[in-house]
Coordinates of all heavy atoms in Angstrom, one line a residue:
M1 N 0.8 -1.2 0.0 CA 0.0 0.0 0.0 C 0.9 1.2 0.0 O 0.6 2.2 -0.7 CB -0.9 0.0 1.2 CG -1.9 1.1 1.3 SD -3.2 0.9 0.1 CE -4.6 0.7 1.1
G2 N 2.0 1.2 0.8 CA 2.9 2.3 0.8 C 3.5 2.6 -0.5 O 3.7 3.8 -0.9
L3 N 3.9 1.5 -1.3 CA 4.5 1.7 -2.5 C 3.5 2.4 -3.6 O 3.9 3.2 -4.4 CB 5.0 0.4 -3.1 CG 6.3 -0.1 -2.3 CD1 6.6 -1.5 -2.9 CD2 7.4 0.8 -2.5
L4 N 2.3 1.9 -3.5 CA 1.2 2.5 -4.4 C 1.0 4.0 -4.1 O 0.9 4.8 -5.0 CB -0.1 1.8 -4.3 CG 0.0 0.3 -4.8 CD1 -1.4 -0.4 -4.6 CD2 0.2 0.4 -6.4
F5 N 1.0 4.3 -2.8 CA 0.9 5.7 -2.4 C 2.1 6.5 -2.9 O 1.9 7.6 -3.4 CB 0.7 5.8 -0.9 CG 0.6 7.3 -0.4 CD1 -0.5 8.0 -0.6 CD2 1.7 7.8 0.2 CE1 -0.6 9.3 -0.1 CE2 1.6 9.2 0.6 CZ 0.5 9.9 0.5
A6 N 3.3 6.0 -2.6 CA 4.5 6.7 -3.1 C 4.5 6.9 -4.6 O 4.9 8.0 -5.1 CB 5.7 5.9 -2.6
R7 N 4.1 5.8 -5.3 CA 4.0 6.0 -6.8 C 3.1 7.1 -7.2 O 3.4 7.9 -8.1 CB 3.7 4.6 -7.4 CG 3.7 4.7 -8.9 CD 3.2 3.4 -9.5 NE 1.8 3.2 -9.2 CZ 0.8 3.2 -10.2 NH1 1.1 3.3 -11.4 NH2 -0.4 3.1 -9.8
Q8 N 1.9 7.1 -6.6 CA 0.9 8.2 -6.9 C 1.5 9.5 -6.6 O 1.3 10.5 -7.3 CB -0.3 7.9 -6.2 CG -1.5 8.8 -6.6 CD -1.9 8.6 -8.0 OE1 -1.7 7.6 -8.6 NE2 -2.5 9.7 -8.5
A9 N 2.2 9.7 -5.5 CA 2.7 10.9 -5.0 C 3.8 11.4 -6.0 O 3.8 12.6 -6.4 CB 3.3 10.9 -3.6
V10 N 4.6 10.5 -6.4 CA 5.7 10.8 -7.3 C 5.1 11.3 -8.7 O 5.5 12.2 -9.4 CB 6.7 9.7 -7.5 CG1 7.6 10.0 -8.7 CG2 7.5 9.5 -6.2
S11 N 4.1 10.5 -9.1 CA 3.4 10.9 -10.4 C 2.8 12.3 -10.4 O 2.9 13.0 -11.3 CB 2.3 9.8 -10.7 OG 1.6 10.1 -11.8
Q12 N 2.2 12.6 -9.2 CA 1.6 14.0 -9.1 C 2.6 15.0 -9.1 O 2.5 16.1 -9.8 CB 0.8 14.0 -7.8 CG -0.5 13.2 -7.8 CD -1.5 13.7 -8.8 OE1 -1.6 14.9 -9.0 NE2 -2.2 12.7 -9.5
V13 N 3.8 14.8 -8.5 CA 4.8 15.8 -8.4 C 5.4 16.0 -9.8 O 5.6 17.1 -10.2 CB 5.9 15.4 -7.4 CG1 7.2 16.2 -7.5 CG2 5.4 15.5 -6.0
V14 N 5.6 14.9 -10.5 CA 6.2 15.0 -11.9 C 5.2 15.7 -12.8 O 5.6 16.6 -13.6 CB 6.5 13.6 -12.4 CG1 6.8 13.7 -13.9 CG2 7.7 13.0 -11.7
S15 N 3.9 15.4 -12.6 CA 2.9 16.1 -13.5 C 2.8 17.6 -13.2 O 2.7 18.4 -14.1 CB 1.5 15.5 -13.2 OG 0.5 16.1 -13.9
L16 N 2.9 17.9 -11.9 CA 2.9 19.3 -11.5 C 4.2 20.0 -12.0 O 4.1 21.1 -12.6 CB 2.8 19.5 -10.0 CG 3.0 20.9 -9.4 CD1 1.7 21.7 -9.9 CD2 3.1 20.9 -8.0
A17 N 5.3 19.4 -11.9 CA 6.5 20.0 -12.5 C 6.4 20.2 -13.9 O 6.9 21.2 -14.5 CB 7.8 19.2 -12.1
G18 N 5.9 19.2 -14.7 CA 5.8 19.3 -16.1 C 4.8 20.4 -16.5 O 5.1 21.2 -17.5
G19 N 3.7 20.6 -15.7 CA 2.8 21.7 -16.0 C 3.5 23.1 -15.8 O 3.3 24.0 -16.6
I20 N 4.3 23.2 -14.8 CA 5.0 24.4 -14.5 C 6.0 24.7 -15.6 O 6.1 25.9 -16.1 CB 5.7 24.4 -13.1 CG1 4.6 24.4 -12.0 CG2 6.6 25.6 -12.9 CD1 5.2 24.2 -10.7
I21 N 6.7 23.7 -16.0 CA 7.7 23.9 -17.1 C 7.0 24.3 -18.4 O 7.4 25.2 -19.1 CB 8.6 22.6 -17.3 CG1 9.5 22.5 -16.1 CG2 9.4 22.7 -18.6 CD1 10.2 21.2 -16.0
L22 N 5.9 23.6 -18.7 CA 5.1 23.9 -19.9 C 4.6 25.3 -19.9 O 4.5 26.1 -20.9 CB 4.0 22.9 -20.2 CG 4.5 21.6 -20.8 CD1 3.3 20.7 -20.9 CD2 5.1 21.8 -22.1
A23 N 4.1 25.7 -18.7 CA 3.5 27.1 -18.6 C 4.6 28.2 -18.8 O 4.3 29.3 -19.4 CB 3.0 27.3 -17.2
R24 N 5.9 27.9 -18.5 CA 6.9 28.8 -18.7 C 7.4 28.8 -20.3 O 7.8 29.8 -20.8 CB 8.2 28.5 -17.9 CG 7.9 28.6 -16.4 CD 7.8 30.1 -16.1 NE 7.5 30.2 -14.7 CZ 7.2 31.4 -14.1 NH1 7.2 32.5 -14.9 NH2 7.0 31.5 -12.9
L25 N 7.3 27.6 -20.9 CA 7.8 27.5 -22.3 C 6.8 27.9 -23.3 O 7.2 28.4 -24.4 CB 8.4 26.1 -22.5 CG 9.5 25.6 -21.7 CD1 9.9 24.2 -21.9 CD2 10.8 26.5 -22.0
L26 N 5.5 27.6 -23.1 CA 4.5 27.8 -24.1 C 3.9 29.2 -24.0 O 3.9 29.8 -22.9 CB 3.4 26.8 -24.0 CG 3.9 25.3 -24.2 CD1 2.7 24.3 -23.9 CD2 4.4 25.1 -25.6
S27 N 3.3 29.7 -25.1 CA 2.6 30.9 -25.0 C 1.3 30.6 -24.3 O 0.8 29.5 -24.2 CB 2.3 31.4 -26.4 OG 1.3 30.6 -27.1
P28 N 0.6 31.7 -23.8 CA -0.7 31.5 -23.1 C -1.7 30.8 -24.0 O -2.5 30.0 -23.5 CB -1.1 32.9 -22.8 CG 0.1 33.7 -22.7 CD 1.0 33.1 -23.7
L29 N -1.7 31.1 -25.3 CA -2.7 30.4 -26.2 C -2.3 28.9 -26.3 O -3.2 28.0 -26.1 CB -2.7 31.0 -27.6 CG -3.5 30.3 -28.6 CD1 -5.0 30.4 -28.2 CD2 -3.3 30.9 -30.0
Q30 N -1.1 28.6 -26.4 CA -0.7 27.1 -26.6 C -0.9 26.4 -25.3 O -1.4 25.3 -25.2 CB 0.8 27.1 -26.9 CG 1.1 27.5 -28.4 CD 2.6 27.6 -28.6 OE1 3.4 27.9 -27.7 NE2 2.9 27.3 -29.8
F31 N -0.6 27.1 -24.1 CA -0.8 26.4 -22.8 C -2.3 26.2 -22.6 O -2.7 25.3 -21.9 CB -0.2 27.2 -21.7 CG -0.2 26.5 -20.4 CD1 0.6 25.4 -20.2 CD2 -1.0 27.0 -19.3 CE1 0.6 24.7 -19.0 CE2 -1.0 26.3 -18.2 CZ -0.2 25.1 -18.0
G32 N -3.1 27.2 -23.0 CA -4.6 27.1 -22.8 C -5.1 25.9 -23.6 O -5.9 25.1 -23.1
L33 N -4.6 25.7 -24.8 CA -5.0 24.6 -25.7 C -4.6 23.2 -25.0 O -5.3 22.3 -25.0 CB -4.5 24.7 -27.1 CG -5.1 25.8 -27.9 CD1 -4.4 25.9 -29.3 CD2 -6.5 25.5 -28.2
F34 N -3.4 23.2 -24.5 CA -2.8 22.1 -23.7 C -3.7 21.7 -22.6 O -4.0 20.6 -22.3 CB -1.4 22.3 -23.3 CG -0.9 21.3 -22.4 CD1 -0.5 20.0 -22.9 CD2 -0.8 21.5 -21.1 CE1 0.0 19.0 -22.1 CE2 -0.3 20.5 -20.2 CZ 0.1 19.3 -20.7
G35 N -4.1 22.8 -21.9 CA -5.0 22.5 -20.7 C -6.4 22.0 -21.1 O -6.9 21.1 -20.4
I36 N -6.9 22.5 -22.1 CA -8.2 22.0 -22.6 C -8.1 20.5 -23.1 O -8.9 19.7 -22.7 CB -8.8 22.9 -23.8 CG1 -9.1 24.3 -23.2 CG2 -9.9 22.2 -24.4 CD1 -9.5 25.3 -24.3
A37 N -7.0 20.2 -23.8 CA -6.9 18.9 -24.3 C -6.6 17.9 -23.1 O -7.2 16.8 -23.1 CB -5.6 18.9 -25.2
T38 N -5.9 18.3 -22.1 CA -5.6 17.5 -21.0 C -6.9 17.2 -20.3 O -7.2 16.1 -19.8 CB -4.6 18.2 -20.0 OG1 -3.4 18.4 -20.8 CG2 -4.3 17.3 -18.8
T39 N -7.8 18.2 -20.1 CA -9.0 18.1 -19.4 C -10.0 17.1 -20.2 O -10.5 16.2 -19.6 CB -9.7 19.4 -19.2 OG1 -8.9 20.3 -18.5 CG2 -11.1 19.3 -18.6
I40 N -10.0 17.2 -21.5 CA -10.8 16.3 -22.3 C -10.3 14.9 -22.2 O -11.1 14.0 -22.0 CB -10.9 16.8 -23.7 CG1 -11.7 18.1 -23.8 CG2 -11.5 15.8 -24.6 CD1 -11.6 18.8 -25.2
V41 N -9.1 14.7 -22.3 CA -8.5 13.3 -22.2 C -8.7 12.8 -20.9 O -9.1 11.6 -20.7 CB -7.0 13.3 -22.6 CG1 -6.3 12.0 -22.2 CG2 -6.8 13.7 -24.1
G42 N -8.5 13.5 -19.8 CA -8.8 13.1 -18.5 C -10.2 12.7 -18.2 O -10.5 11.7 -17.6
T43 N -11.1 13.5 -18.7 CA -12.6 13.2 -18.6 C -12.9 12.0 -19.3 O -13.7 11.1 -18.7 CB -13.4 14.4 -19.1 OG1 -13.0 15.6 -18.4 CG2 -14.9 14.2 -18.9
F44 N -12.5 11.8 -20.5 CA -12.8 10.6 -21.3 C -12.2 9.3 -20.6 O -12.7 8.3 -20.6 CB -12.3 10.7 -22.7 CG -13.2 11.4 -23.6 CD1 -12.7 12.4 -24.5 CD2 -14.6 11.2 -23.5 CE1 -13.5 13.1 -25.3 CE2 -15.5 12.0 -24.3 CZ -14.9 12.9 -25.2
G45 N -11.0 9.5 -20.0 CA -10.4 8.5 -19.2 C -11.2 8.0 -18.0 O -11.3 6.8 -17.7
L46 N -11.8 8.9 -17.4 CA -12.6 8.6 -16.2 C -13.9 7.9 -16.5 O -14.3 7.0 -15.8 CB -13.0 9.9 -15.4 CG -11.9 10.5 -14.6 CD1 -12.3 11.9 -14.0 CD2 -11.4 9.6 -13.5
I47 N -14.5 8.2 -17.7 CA -15.8 7.7 -18.0 C -15.7 6.5 -19.0 O -16.7 5.9 -19.4 CB -16.8 8.7 -18.5 CG1 -16.3 9.4 -19.8 CG2 -17.1 9.8 -17.5 CD1 -17.3 10.3 -20.5
S48 N -14.5 6.2 -19.5 CA -14.4 5.2 -20.6 C -14.7 3.8 -20.1 O -15.3 3.1 -20.9 CB -13.0 5.3 -21.2 OG -12.0 4.9 -20.3
D49 N -14.3 3.5 -19.0 CA -14.5 2.1 -18.6 C -15.9 1.8 -18.1 O -16.5 0.9 -18.5 CB -13.5 1.8 -17.4 CG -13.4 0.3 -17.1 OD1 -13.9 -0.4 -17.9 OD2 -13.0 0.0 -16.0
F50 N -16.4 2.6 -17.2 CA -17.7 2.5 -16.6 C -18.2 1.1 -16.3 O -19.4 0.7 -16.5 CB -18.8 3.3 -17.3 CG -19.1 2.9 -18.7 CD1 -19.9 1.9 -19.0 CD2 -18.5 3.6 -19.8 CE1 -20.2 1.6 -20.4 CE2 -18.7 3.3 -21.1 CZ -19.6 2.3 -21.4
G51 N -17.3 0.2 -15.8 CA -17.6 -1.1 -15.4 C -17.8 -2.1 -16.4 O -18.4 -3.2 -16.2
L52 N -17.4 -1.9 -17.7 CA -17.6 -2.8 -18.7 C -16.7 -4.1 -18.5 O -17.2 -5.2 -18.7 CB -17.3 -2.1 -20.0 CG -17.7 -2.9 -21.3 CD1 -19.2 -3.1 -21.3 CD2 -17.3 -2.1 -22.5
A53 N -15.5 -3.9 -18.2 CA -14.6 -5.0 -18.0 C -15.0 -6.0 -16.9 O -15.1 -7.2 -17.1 CB -13.1 -4.5 -17.7
P54 N -15.4 -5.5 -15.7 CA -15.9 -6.4 -14.7 C -17.2 -7.1 -15.1 O -17.4 -8.3 -14.8 CB -16.2 -5.5 -13.5 CG -15.3 -4.3 -13.7 CD -15.2 -4.1 -15.1
S55 N -18.0 -6.4 -15.9 CA -19.2 -7.1 -16.3 C -18.9 -8.2 -17.4 O -19.6 -9.3 -17.3 CB -20.2 -6.1 -17.0 OG -19.7 -5.7 -18.3
F56 N -17.9 -8.1 -18.2 CA -17.5 -9.1 -19.1 C -16.8 -10.3 -18.2 O -17.1 -11.5 -18.6 CB -16.4 -8.6 -20.1 CG -17.0 -7.9 -21.2 CD1 -16.2 -7.1 -22.1 CD2 -18.4 -7.9 -21.5 CE1 -16.7 -6.5 -23.1 CE2 -18.9 -7.2 -22.5 CZ -18.0 -6.5 -23.4
I57 N -16.1 -10.0 -17.2 CA -15.5 -11.1 -16.4 C -16.5 -11.9 -15.7 O -16.4 -13.1 -15.6 CB -14.5 -10.4 -15.4 CG1 -13.3 -9.8 -16.2 CG2 -14.0 -11.5 -14.4 CD1 -12.4 -9.0 -15.4
Q58 N -17.6 -11.2 -15.2 CA -18.6 -11.9 -14.3 C -19.7 -12.5 -15.2 O -20.5 -13.2 -14.6 CB -19.2 -10.9 -13.3 CG -18.2 -10.4 -12.3 CD -18.7 -9.3 -11.4 OE1 -19.9 -8.9 -11.6 NE2 -18.0 -8.9 -10.4
R59 N -19.7 -12.3 -16.4 CA -20.8 -12.9 -17.2 C -20.6 -14.4 -17.3 O -19.6 -15.0 -17.5 CB -20.6 -12.3 -18.7 CG -21.7 -12.6 -19.6 CD -21.6 -11.8 -20.8 NE -22.7 -12.1 -21.7 CZ -23.0 -11.4 -22.8 NH1 -22.2 -10.4 -23.1 NH2 -24.0 -11.8 -23.5
K60 N -21.8 -15.1 -17.2 CA -21.8 -16.5 -17.2 C -21.7 -17.1 -18.6 O -21.1 -18.2 -18.8 CB -23.0 -17.0 -16.4 CG -23.0 -16.6 -15.0 CD -24.1 -17.3 -14.2 CE -24.2 -16.8 -12.8 NZ -23.1 -16.9 -12.0
E61 N -22.4 -16.4 -19.5 CA -22.4 -16.9 -20.9 C -21.1 -16.6 -21.6 O -20.3 -15.7 -21.2 CB -23.5 -16.3 -21.8 CG -24.9 -16.5 -21.2 CD -25.3 -15.5 -20.2 OE1 -24.8 -14.3 -20.3 OE2 -26.1 -15.8 -19.3
E62 N -20.8 -17.3 -22.7 CA -19.6 -17.0 -23.5 C -19.7 -15.7 -24.2 O -20.8 -15.4 -24.7 CB -19.4 -18.2 -24.5 CG -18.1 -18.2 -25.2 CD -16.9 -18.5 -24.3 OE1 -17.2 -19.3 -23.3 OE2 -15.8 -18.0 -24.6
L63 N -18.6 -15.0 -24.3 CA -18.8 -13.6 -25.0 C -18.8 -13.9 -26.5 O -18.1 -14.7 -27.0 CB -17.5 -12.8 -24.7 CG -17.3 -12.3 -23.2 CD1 -16.0 -11.6 -23.1 CD2 -18.5 -11.4 -22.8
T64 N -19.7 -13.1 -27.1 CA -19.8 -13.2 -28.6 C -18.9 -12.2 -29.2 O -18.3 -11.3 -28.6 CB -21.3 -12.8 -29.0 OG1 -21.6 -11.5 -28.7 CG2 -22.2 -13.8 -28.3
E65 N -18.7 -12.3 -30.5 CA -17.9 -11.4 -31.3 C -18.5 -10.0 -31.2 O -17.8 -9.0 -31.0 CB -17.8 -11.8 -32.7 CG -17.0 -11.0 -33.6 CD -15.5 -11.1 -33.3 OE1 -15.1 -12.2 -32.7 OE2 -14.7 -10.2 -33.5
H66 N -19.8 -9.8 -31.2 CA -20.5 -8.5 -31.1 C -20.2 -7.9 -29.7 O -19.9 -6.7 -29.6 CB -22.0 -8.7 -31.2 CG -22.7 -7.4 -31.2 ND1 -23.4 -7.0 -30.0 CD2 -22.9 -6.4 -32.1 CE1 -23.9 -5.8 -30.2 NE2 -23.6 -5.4 -31.5
D67 N -20.2 -8.7 -28.6 CA -19.9 -8.2 -27.3 C -18.4 -7.6 -27.3 O -18.1 -6.6 -26.7 CB -19.9 -9.3 -26.3 CG -21.3 -9.8 -26.0 OD1 -22.3 -9.0 -26.2 OD2 -21.5 -11.0 -25.6
L68 N -17.5 -8.3 -27.9 CA -16.1 -7.9 -27.9 C -15.9 -6.6 -28.7 O -15.2 -5.7 -28.4 CB -15.2 -9.0 -28.5 CG -15.1 -10.2 -27.6 CD1 -14.3 -11.3 -28.2 CD2 -14.5 -9.9 -26.2
Q69 N -16.7 -6.5 -29.9 CA -16.6 -5.3 -30.7 C -17.2 -4.1 -30.0 O -16.6 -3.0 -30.0 CB -17.4 -5.5 -32.0 CG -16.7 -6.5 -32.9 CD -17.6 -6.8 -34.2 OE1 -18.8 -6.4 -34.2 NE2 -17.0 -7.4 -35.2
V70 N -18.3 -4.3 -29.2 CA -18.8 -3.2 -28.5 C -17.9 -2.7 -27.4 O -17.7 -1.6 -27.2 CB -20.2 -3.6 -27.9 CG1 -20.7 -2.6 -26.9 CG2 -21.2 -3.7 -29.0
G71 N -17.3 -3.8 -26.7 CA -16.4 -3.4 -25.6 C -15.2 -2.7 -26.1 O -14.7 -1.7 -25.5
F72 N -14.6 -3.1 -27.3 CA -13.5 -2.5 -27.8 C -13.8 -1.0 -28.3 O -13.1 -0.2 -28.0 CB -13.0 -3.2 -29.0 CG -11.7 -2.6 -29.7 CD1 -10.5 -2.8 -29.1 CD2 -11.9 -2.0 -30.9 CE1 -9.4 -2.2 -29.7 CE2 -10.8 -1.4 -31.5 CZ -9.5 -1.5 -30.9
T73 N -15.0 -0.9 -28.9 CA -15.4 0.5 -29.4 C -15.6 1.4 -28.2 O -15.1 2.5 -28.3 CB -16.7 0.4 -30.2 OG1 -16.5 -0.5 -31.3 CG2 -17.1 1.7 -30.7
L74 N -16.2 1.0 -27.2 CA -16.4 1.9 -26.0 C -15.2 2.2 -25.2 O -15.0 3.2 -24.7 CB -17.5 1.2 -25.0 CG -18.9 1.2 -25.6 CD1 -19.8 0.5 -24.6 CD2 -19.4 2.6 -25.9
Q75 N -14.2 1.2 -25.2 CA -13.0 1.4 -24.5 C -12.1 2.4 -25.2 O -11.5 3.2 -24.7 CB -12.3 0.0 -24.4 CG -11.2 0.1 -23.4 CD -11.6 0.3 -21.9 OE1 -12.7 0.0 -21.6 NE2 -10.7 0.8 -21.1

């Protein structure tokens, strides 16, 4: 548990440092576009899974080709 916490903390520090460096190197317009793109990617990352993988694992019937195609498309 401690290692996972440490990894998450290091990841947040690196992300913050990268954001500060980019804010200094990019123009305000470019940094704004970067911020918007980061927000969109993060939002899609949060809602992309929505429990689909666990539902496939717990399913009693065999998965069909259509199930796999839908899962791949949504993922």
Side-chain angles (χ1 to χ4, degrees):
M1 185 73 119
L3 288 175
L4 290 174
F5 178 75
R7 182 184 69 110
Q8 185 66 24
V10 168
S11 174
Q12 291 293 325
V13 169
V14 168
S15 178
L16 177 64
I20 292 171
I21 291 170
L22 283 175
R24 296 290 181 186
L25 294 176
L26 298 176
S27 72
L29 176 64
Q30 291 172 328
F31 188 71
L33 290 174
F34 171 75
I36 292 170
T38 302
T39 301
I40 290 172
V41 168
T43 302
F44 282 136
L46 287 173
I47 63 172
S48 68
D49 189 21
F50 61 84
L52 193 60
S55 71
F56 281 168
I57 292 170
Q58 295 175 357
R59 189 172 178 169
K60 296 191 188 303
E61 299 90 27
E62 191 69 29
L63 292 176
T64 65
E65 185 67 27
H66 182 262
D67 294 334
L68 295 175
Q69 288 175 351
V70 169
F72 180 76
T73 300
L74 291 176
Q75 193 67 24

